[in-house]
Amino acid sequence: MNEDFLDKEKWIAILNTIDDGLLIFNKEKKLLLINRAAKDFFEVGEEILGKTTFELAYHPKLKVLFYLLTEKIKEVFRKELKVKEDLILEVTSLSILEKGEEFGKLVVLHNVTREKRLEKLKTDFVSISAHQLRTPLTSLRWSLESLRFSGKLSSEQLKILDRAKESLERMLILVNELLDIVRIEEGKELYKISRIKFEEILKKVIKEYEEKIKEKNLKFELKLPLKRIPRIKADPEKIALVIENLLDNAIRYTPPGGSITISLNLNENELQFSIEDTGIGIPEKEKKNIFTKFFRASNAIKTETEGSGIGLFVSKNIIEAHGGKIWFQSQEGKGSKFYFTIPIK
């Protein structure tokens, strides 16, 4: 591709019809082309053509873009960029190759302002609804507890009361999970970071689930490294929540008689946790959505009708906030293995 071809009027006219902003640079990082949408986004004109990324980085309207991309135009994929209060773009940059050789860079700017506004409205709605629900639900729980210990109920009435309390507890868990999502999405999720013994938190969570494991007749194994596990910097409550989510899913979706294995491994600079089960697994075509908010795999819905699809979304955000990674391997009908890492600092 040469510069003469890019300057052809028909080619420019085609690019000007595209709603996404486009910028094309040559191998010397000089701007060869900018379409109408990109000009409108940044309120610039033809005067910036031929300028290098170094020069554009100091342009008052474009410096926000090149703070993200840098002068080298590093490759990014759908990176969110707030240009101004009423304009949010998703930025993607990639190399233009010919026979394996790079001869330019393409920057694509997609306007996501409307989508972000809708997300904000949904987040606000969830936040208000969850807060409004939590107070009466807490009061109702207190009332049920008072009734239970009043000594005036028959055994049959106590059973009904216990079932009502179980449903109420599930509602409270859901409300708290919704509030966790709101805090994550608003960037207000606060972490009480301290030096913690990971294995102590892990054993405490396992103990809480011992009865459920026995009820389903599941074989359970915990594998710890032979050498001492160093303390890690983390929020103990949030790390416990991640372990709970993963262990609860493994128990919930593993048929009676199956097995669950939790392993801890020490790598050079990180602690790696894994949980493997012989459960229903995840359908191949649905794997890409597994950490998406409110998503539940089709076979999970058939197996267990209850569930919010929030746990893995929250877990991913918690682990990434700690500087770690979370991922999984799974085969439908054979089981799943989830991993996460936490840096050792």
Side-chain angles (χ1 to χ4, degrees), residues 26-150:
N26 65 12
K27 64 170 67 174
E28 284 77 36
K29 304 296 186 294
K30 285 185 179 180
L31 181 62
L32 300 182
L33 184 145
I34 177 170
N35 73 342
R36 184 177 291 116
K39 290 176 187 175
D40 292 343
F41 290 154
F42 292 100
E43 300 173 353
V44 294
E46 299 287 327
E47 75 279 355
I48 65 170
L49 287 174
K51 293 189 180 296
T52 64
T53 53
F54 178 81
E55 294 171 300
L56 295 174
Y58 290 94
H59 191 287
K61 299 285 181 67
L62 292 164
K63 60 184 179 182
V64 65
L65 175 63
F66 287 93
Y67 181 79
L68 170 67
L69 295 175
T70 73
E71 292 170 29
K72 294 181 180 179
I73 312 182
K74 65 181 181 182
E75 293 198 7
V76 297
F77 178 69
R78 297 179 66 178
K79 199 78 173 177
E80 192 175 305
L81 177 70
K82 188 174 182 179
V83 179
K84 48 190 175 182
E85 199 59 42
D86 60 347
L87 180 60
I88 301 170
L89 302 175
E90 272 186 352
V91 181
T92 298
S93 59
L94 57 150
S95 299
I96 306 172
L97 303 174
E98 185 174 37
K99 296 179 181 178
E101 184 179 346
E102 180 184 308
F103 65 89
K105 294 276 190 179
L106 171 66
V107 178
V108 182
L109 310 166
H110 180 58
N111 189 349
V112 292
T113 309
R114 183 174 178 276
E115 291 92 326
K116 294 300 174 183
R117 282 177 181 162
L118 288 172
E119 280 182 18
K120 180 69 167 62
L121 286 171
K122 286 189 284 186
T123 299
D124 289 346
F125 173 76
V126 169
S127 177
I128 293 166
S129 301
H131 276 106
Q132 292 297 319
L133 281 169
R134 187 158 63 171
T135 301
L137 286 173
T138 304
S139 299
L140 187 55
R141 180 169 63 178
W142 181 83
S143 300
L144 291 176
E145 288 285 353
S146 299
L147 270 174
R148 198 183 198 295
F149 294 104
S150 66

Side-chain angles (χ1 to χ4, degrees), residues 187-318:
K188 294 178 181 176
E189 185 67 16
L190 301 176
Y191 292 89
K192 299 174 184 176
I193 302 294
S194 61
R195 288 276 180 188
I196 64 168
K197 288 185 176 180
F198 185 93
E199 66 273 27
E200 287 185 3
I201 293 170
L202 174 59
K203 288 175 181 178
K204 185 179 178 182
V205 172
I206 291 170
K207 190 169 183 61
E208 291 171 0
Y209 282 86
E210 280 179 350
E211 283 303 313
K212 285 188 177 181
I213 292 169
K214 287 177 183 176
E215 283 173 14
K216 288 194 77 172
N217 191 31
L218 298 173
K219 180 185 175 184
F220 180 83
E221 187 176 5
L222 174 62
K223 295 180 178 179
L224 298 175
L226 294 176
K227 56 183 179 181
R228 186 183 67 84
I229 301 171
R231 289 175 181 262
I232 60 170
K233 284 179 70 175
D235 180 328
E237 289 182 13
K238 299 303 178 188
I239 291 298
L241 178 59
V242 174
I243 299 169
E244 286 170 15
N245 286 336
L246 295 176
L247 181 54
D248 186 75
N249 281 349
I251 295 169
R252 189 185 299 261
Y253 300 117
T254 299
S259 66
I260 296 171
T261 303
I262 290 179
S263 303
L264 282 186
N265 290 295
L266 286 171
N267 299 327
E268 188 176 349
N269 297 310
E270 63 187 17
L271 176 66
Q272 180 178 291
F273 168 97
S274 68
I275 178 166
E276 185 174 10
D277 64 57
T278 57
I280 61 173
I282 302 163
E284 189 65 33
K285 63 182 180 180
E286 298 180 19
K287 287 181 179 179
K288 63 182 183 296
N289 299 317
I290 206 67
F291 291 110
T292 305
K293 179 175 48 179
F294 302 125
F295 177 81
R296 295 186 70 211
S298 54
N299 58 345
I301 295 169
K302 291 175 186 175
T303 304
E304 182 71 52
T305 54
E306 293 178 3
S308 62
I310 294 172
L312 289 177
F313 169 81
V314 171
S315 297
K316 182 175 187 290
N317 279 274
I318 290 171

